[in-house]
Amino acid sequence: MTKLLSEKFYTAMKKLEPRYPTKKALILPALHQAQEEYGWLPKEVLGEVAEYIGVHSAQIREVASFYTMYNLNPVGKNHLKICTNVACCLRGADELMNFAEKKLGIKCGETTADGMFSLTEEECLGACTTAPAMMANDDYIEELDVNKLNQYIEKMKASK
Amino acid sequence: MVHETLFAQHFWKDSNRTLSYYLENMQGYQSAKKVLKEMKPDQVIEEVKKANLRGRGGAGFPMGMKWSFIPKASEKPKYLVCNADESEPGTCKDRQIMRYTPHVLIEGLLIGSYAIGCKHAYIYIRGEYVREAKLLNEAIDEAYEKGYLGKNIFDSGYDLDITVHRGAGAYICGEETGLLNSLEGKRGEPRVKPPFPAISGAFSCPTAVNNVESIANVPYLIRMGGEAFAQLGKIDKSGGTRLISLSGHIKTPGVYEIQAGSMTIRQIIDELGGGIIGGKKLKAVIPGGSSSPILTADEIDVVYDVEPLMKVGTMMGSAAIMVIHEDTDLVKLLLRITKFYAHESCGQCTPCREGCHWMESILHKILHGEARPTDLELLVDVAQNIGGKTLCALGDAAAGPVISFVKKFRPEFESYIKGQKKYA
């Protein structure tokens, strides 16, 4: 079977192997690396990670499904994760979520038809003193307001 | 009042995170050098005990004692694992240490690892802190390059490696045994204790798990001596300083550092936070992360430290103060908190898995005017049947807010149930 994951994946894993006493400990790093290549974790990729670790693919799925950051379904090119936990809530996160839903024309948890944006509600991001905050893919955007969010979405739309 | 601070003066400037800044301005790696060359592991642990360094992650457990539980005679490898999961809502202090003073954490890990006999330490960092993980790795590379990590550090014959391990989005991985399972490549489900991690932790070996801020304090306490460090704290049994994450309806939210036990919550809000935004009146304070029982505006003249807060029925937790003003709907806020715990419950223990969802569902009914008069009692009853009946503290974390919100702000819940107030 042809490999789905690149040489880069296998090189990164080889480098990490001596840093753990068991190969299973590489499951989380491997899933992060695989998702970085694919954007999400299709069944076939989970299977290849399983083969690399040397466990059944169900065991990889069991682990992957526990953690919210592993996308078991495709996500948009720009994945907006708005924190709506206490500190952000007190500083207007609900308003931001309503705005994003209207602006993107989707509900929280959905992806736009063109695959450009996914919108999800996030639990506490650890940016409480600069609330409200969101993650856009891997980046934090803090001290948000509707204006700043609007500008960000416009910028991402323009950078197609 | 002027505070002696250890960390805060180095925060907020990106260029401060480099090794050269650390060496020039923070007496970098001098404590580790002294420890590795002149001290025995037991002496290090004694110094930490003298310093009255309480864990900064939430439980406030004395750190020297935790280290002394690691069995010296064990033939197995020993591990020091730094808990950088920082997931308690309201908390964002460890992030600043990793961003601006990563080397003080690395030096702390070096000293701690030597003290407990660990040859490979792990930093378990929450998955969302992508940038902080990268910064830590850069700092670790710098330390390897200069020989502060790796083989034969300071010609002492002692070796240490440090690996950064990223989580992937799960609150429960802040719980130490959930964290260890996650480190081992499993679901982050907490373990049955005993055995405690000190006996059987990471990879079934003796393990100490300590919070970022706890470990980052170690180079300071070695330098100034345990007793002097203890005296930085203005209260018994709590040494050093505390980093406080101050958020919510406050004029100047931020991460502040105070000498332990030197201020009341009211002083922190007024003097550090600049008071409440928009000239509003204070309604309530969540004093130690979202799982700590809420305090009313009349209850905040309490010294902000572990034991005084325990005496008034709440907790300091991870030192995250969330300030709430008069316009806030506490029923709605409690629903949000409860929804969080329901989402994050790992599902192993029935009282937590089922109870959190029931509490969420009852609160939803109350808020939407669909509750019966008896539902408020039912809500508290469910909460009381979760507390103390689960493997880890998540159950208690979910129950505490529910019980305290209803006890202290009962009329707000009743006005929804009686239909006097409608959800907007």
Side-chain angles (χ1 to χ4, degrees), chain B residues 12 38 49 161 240 255 306 395:
Chain B
W12 323 121
E38 300 167 19
K49 279 186 181 167
D161 287 306
V255 174
V306 181

Side-chain angles (χ1 to χ4, degrees), chain B residues 87-404:
Chain B
S87 46
E88 180 65 24
T91 321
C92 50
K93 63 184 177 69
D94 294 337
R95 187 179 175 209
Q96 318 310 337
I97 293 177
M98 295 187 279
R99 262 189 181 183
Y100 300 107
T101 59
H103 282 285
V104 77
L105 174 62
I106 296 170
E107 186 175 359
L109 280 166
L110 175 52
I111 298 168
S113 297
Y114 173 79
I116 66 163
C118 156
K119 296 290 171 77
H120 199 131
Y122 293 93
I123 302 174
Y124 183 98
I125 184 168
R126 62 177 298 175
E128 293 84 355
Y129 283 177
V130 181
R131 180 156 166 251
E132 288 72 17
K134 190 169 155 272
L135 295 174
L136 277 177
N137 273 318
E138 284 170 10
I140 288 169
D141 288 346
E142 276 185 309
Y144 269 109
E145 222 169 275
K146 295 283 178 189
Y148 300 131
L149 290 175
K151 300 270 174 230
N152 193 22
I153 302 162
F154 299 120
D155 281 323
S156 63
Y158 177 70
D159 310 333
L160 179 69
D161 287 306
I162 296 181
T163 299
V164 175
H165 187 92
R166 284 179 62 213
Y171 168 75
I172 195 60
C173 291
E175 196 277 342
E176 60 180 11
T177 59
L179 182 151
L180 293 173
N181 273 342
S182 184
L183 174 66
E184 292 181 12
K186 299 173 188 161
R187 294 163 69 88
E189 291 163 346
R191 299 175 181 172
V192 181
K193 287 155 280 199
F196 288 94
I199 307 302
S200 181
F203 310 105
S204 307
C205 295
T207 303
V209 184
N210 298 109
N211 166 266
V212 170
E213 186 189 347
S214 313
I215 294 172
N217 268 299
V218 174
Y220 293 108
L221 78 85
I222 293 292
R223 187 193 311 153
M224 63 176 71
E227 271 155 32
F229 185 91
Q231 276 161 21
L232 265 182
K234 296 296 161 207
I235 187 166
D236 270 359
K237 291 184 275 182
S238 193
T241 64
R242 295 296 304 236
L243 289 171
I244 299 169
S245 315
L246 187 56
S247 68
H249 294 142
I250 198 91
K251 277 193 191 132
T252 54
V255 174
Y256 296 95
E257 185 175 8
I258 66 165
Q259 286 176 251
S262 66
M263 292 176 97
T264 64
I265 295 180
R266 188 182 302 281
Q267 287 168 328
I268 291 170
I269 291 173
D270 292 342
E271 293 168 31
L272 303 179
I276 314 299
I277 49 170
K280 299 281 181 190
K281 256 175 66 189
L282 178 71
K283 183 175 194 175
V285 173
I286 299 176
S290 71
S291 54
S292 60
I294 197 165
L295 295 173
T296 65
D298 300 329
E299 292 177 310
I300 60 167
D301 291 300
V302 54
V303 170
Y304 194 61
D305 209 71
V306 181
E307 290 189 0
L309 285 164
M310 229 189 280
K311 276 191 197 128
V312 297
T314 184
M315 59 186 194
M316 187 179 192
S318 51
I321 301 179
M322 294 187 277
V323 178
I324 298 161
H325 74 36
E326 55 186 334
D327 294 351
T328 315
D329 185 331
L330 290 183
V331 179
K332 212 170 145 188
L333 193 68
L334 181 61
L335 173 60
R336 185 62 192 86
I337 292 173
T338 305
K339 194 176 144 204
F340 169 72
Y341 290 107
H343 179 257
E344 299 296 334
S345 173
C346 83
Q348 283 189 114
C349 310
T350 313
C352 174
R353 182 188 64 237
E354 302 297 323
C356 287
H357 280 281
W358 274 106
M359 294 195 302
E360 184 188 346
S361 141
I362 296 167
L363 279 162
H364 191 272
K365 274 166 64 182
I366 293 175
L367 188 66
H368 291 83
E370 297 155 8
R372 297 164 302 179
T374 51
D375 280 346
L376 203 50
E377 297 320 314
L378 179 63
L379 175 66
V380 173
D381 188 44
V382 173
Q384 281 166 343
N385 278 296
I386 300 174
K389 295 184 179 66
T390 52
L391 279 180
C392 83
L394 195 146
D396 303 294
V402 170
I403 293 168
S404 66

Side-chain angles (χ1 to χ4, degrees), chain A residues 27-105:
Chain A
I27 293 179
L28 265 68
L31 290 172
H32 278 305
Q33 187 72 30
Q35 182 160 289
E36 210 175 296
E37 290 193 3
Y38 264 78
W40 68 293
L41 297 165
K43 204 171 80 193
E44 297 74 18
V45 168
L46 292 179
E48 192 171 323
V49 171
E51 205 181 299
Y52 162 68
I53 301 284
V55 294
H56 194 279
S57 67
Q59 282 174 277
I60 297 296
R61 201 179 171 82
E62 180 198 20
V63 175
S65 61
F66 186 80
Y67 301 93
T68 53
M69 285 180 77
Y70 296 131
N71 304 318
L72 298 178
N73 291 299
V75 289
K77 195 174 156 208
N78 299 287
H79 189 180
L80 308 187
K81 296 166 265 189
I82 299 178
C83 174
T84 58
N85 208 297
V86 183
C88 286
C89 211
L90 294 173
R91 305 289 289 209
D94 290 350
E95 198 193 340
L96 291 174
M97 184 54 91
N98 290 338
F99 173 79
E101 285 186 336
K102 276 203 197 97
K103 174 90 186 171
L104 299 171

